[in-house]
Amino acid sequence: MDKKAGTVLKTLREIESLFEFGGEIAPFLEELFTFLTDLMPILARANQSLTSTTESIPTATDNIASADMMAENAANTIMDNADQITTALDDLLSKTDGETKEALEEVALKINEINMALQYQDITSQHLKMATQIVEAIQVRMQKLFQGLQTIGESNEAIRKLIESYSEEMENQKPTEFEDTIRNSADAISQDEIDALFGK
Amino acid sequence: MKAEGKSVLFVEDSPTMRRIIANSLKKIGFSEIIEAEDGVDALAKIDGRLVDLVVTDWNMPEMNGAELVEELRGRPEFDDIPIVMITTRGMKDDVMTAMKLGVNAYVIKPFTPDILQQKLDAVF
């Protein structure tokens, strides 16, 4: 009997200790829950923002590549014209002398300087390519982060519902200036397409 | 430096830059300019023949300038051929790497015709 009473007392002490531990941990759990509740809207917003931004990156990099190509074509046009001027100048130089020749030689030097200045087209192009590579690397990481957020949502019904409700709320909000910029650049159309819309 | 009667292998992937440098090399007076888009193209273009000078960019697809220099320096016939690197890579480490690989002169883009002439005079 004494032995049984001892066991009961021991068990009661254990239960008491458990309650004491529960009492100590309760404020922490409450704080953790508050933190998670505060965090959810941020995660939901990040989730949505990441999706739209990540989807826009290929368009942005394509636009950069397109601008780069246009700059290269423009540089080639300038060089074509400079070459024609140089040929004409060489012809004139062979037929003239004195002050006129000196003046023409000065013009030839200036034409050469224009050609050399076009090196910046290639240098800018290389910088753009490096920036594009960085953006593409960020895109890959953002996609992984985005997938991670989805996994969190899928693993917990309450979190999933919370994310969905905030996502719906976000959809009803006006887009930010940044999102507008991305959307506008993605939706840009050519002059030919504009003319076609006007029926010209 | 006497470029007349001499040949140069010139490797550059950017069409704009290729045109600018090729014009400069013509003005300097090289009789033959073999143009290539990258290291692989360069090796195919020379196809065992010798040139008097190699001018190469660094950042290129397929085989870059550093890899090309390493490949050429590994060939006994290219032991004494001057190699000039023209590149946007201006870090000290890059220059040191190029030197170790066997580059004789290093020109940073953008360059002026005078700079190119000076570097060629120094190695050629």
Side-chain angles (χ1 to χ4, degrees):
Chain A
M1 185 66 186
D2 281 351
K3 197 179 175 185
K4 279 188 180 174
T7 309
V8 169
L9 279 172
K10 192 185 169 193
T11 309
L12 281 171
R13 271 198 298 273
E14 281 174 2
I15 291 169
E16 192 186 356
S17 303
L18 195 65
F19 273 108
E20 278 173 16
F21 175 70
E24 282 171 20
I25 204 168
F28 169 72
L29 285 175
E30 199 177 323
E31 209 170 303
L32 184 66
F33 182 76
T34 310
F35 169 72
L36 283 172
T37 312
D38 290 345
L39 190 66
M40 275 307 111
I42 299 166
L43 285 178
R45 189 179 173 86
N47 187 339
Q48 185 145 18
S49 181
L50 276 178
T51 314
S52 71
T53 309
T54 306
E55 283 169 358
S56 301
I57 286 175
T59 309
T61 52
D62 283 349
N63 286 345
I64 290 171
S66 169
D68 185 31
M69 181 58 76
M70 282 193 283
E72 188 179 313
N73 289 340
N76 275 308
T77 305
I78 294 169
M79 280 194 286
D80 286 343
N81 287 305
D83 282 352
Q84 285 178 25
I85 296 168
T86 303
T87 308
L89 276 174
D90 287 345
D91 186 44
L92 285 171
L93 278 166
S94 64
K95 294 172 187 167
T96 53
D97 52 17
E99 281 183 11
T100 310
K101 188 171 185 172
E102 280 175 19
L104 288 174
E105 281 170 346
E106 194 65 31
V107 175
L109 279 176
K110 293 290 175 196
I111 297 288
N112 194 39
E113 280 176 22
I114 290 171
N115 272 331
M116 296 306 288
L118 291 171
Q119 288 179 77
Y120 282 99
Q121 185 276 316
D122 174 59
I123 293 163
T124 309
S125 170
Q126 287 197 32
H127 286 304
L128 286 175
K129 277 174 190 150
M130 277 190 275
T132 303
Q133 282 169 2
I134 291 167
V135 169
E136 283 170 348
I138 290 169
Q139 182 196 5
V140 172
R141 278 158 182 77
M142 283 171 88
Q143 273 172 336
K144 281 183 185 166
L145 182 61
F146 173 59
Q147 282 162 1
L149 285 172
Q150 273 187 325
T151 309
I152 293 170
E154 282 161 8
S155 65
N156 186 301
E157 182 68 12
I159 293 173
R160 186 182 64 77
K161 281 185 178 170
L162 203 53
I163 288 177
E164 275 176 6
S165 69
Y166 277 108
S167 293
E168 278 171 22
E169 194 183 312
M170 288 295 302
E171 273 174 23
N172 295 328
Q173 280 183 9
K174 283 185 175 178
T176 62
E177 192 183 336
F178 174 64
E179 286 161 349
D180 264 343
T181 307
I182 290 171
R183 194 170 291 117
N184 289 340
S185 63
D187 293 343
I189 59 173
S190 68
Q191 185 59 52
D192 286 345
E193 287 170 306
I194 294 167
D195 291 346
L197 285 174
F198 278 91
K200 288 181 183 173
Chain B
M1 182 200 71
K2 287 196 173 180
E4 203 181 321
K6 302 280 173 65
S7 61
V8 53
L9 169 66
F10 163 50
V11 196
E12 168 66 65
D13 63 323
S14 156
T16 310
M17 197 57 89
R18 203 159 55 234
R19 207 165 154 180
I20 291 167
I21 300 175
N23 275 340
S24 297
L25 293 169
K26 269 181 210 161
K27 280 180 185 158
I28 287 167
F30 283 96
S31 299
E32 187 185 11
I33 301 167
I34 304 164
E35 289 184 34
E37 291 181 16
D38 55 44
V40 172
D41 189 29
L43 295 174
K45 293 256 169 77
I46 55 169
D47 192 28
R49 59 172 288 198
L50 270 181
V51 289
D52 299 298
L53 174 73
V54 176
V55 174
T56 183
D57 182 22
W58 189 318
N59 297 327
M60 293 181 291
E62 303 298 332
M63 181 187 276
N64 68 35
E67 291 164 341
L68 175 66
V69 174
E70 198 171 13
E71 169 67 29
L72 292 177
R73 287 297 185 223
R75 299 179 178 195
E77 67 270 26
F78 274 88
D79 253 5
D80 299 324
I81 305 296
I83 300 180
V84 179
M85 182 83 87
I86 304 182
T87 176
T88 51
R89 295 173 70 132
M91 303 293 284
K92 192 181 174 188
D93 286 351
D94 294 327
V95 182
M96 298 305 288
T97 303
M99 282 172 71
K100 280 179 192 164
L101 289 172
V103 167
N104 302 93
Y106 198 95
V107 180
I108 296 286
K109 293 173 186 171
F111 65 94
T112 62
D114 290 345
I115 294 279
L116 182 61
Q117 180 77 62
Q118 278 173 27
K119 302 295 174 194
L120 292 179
D121 285 343
V123 300
F124 198 60

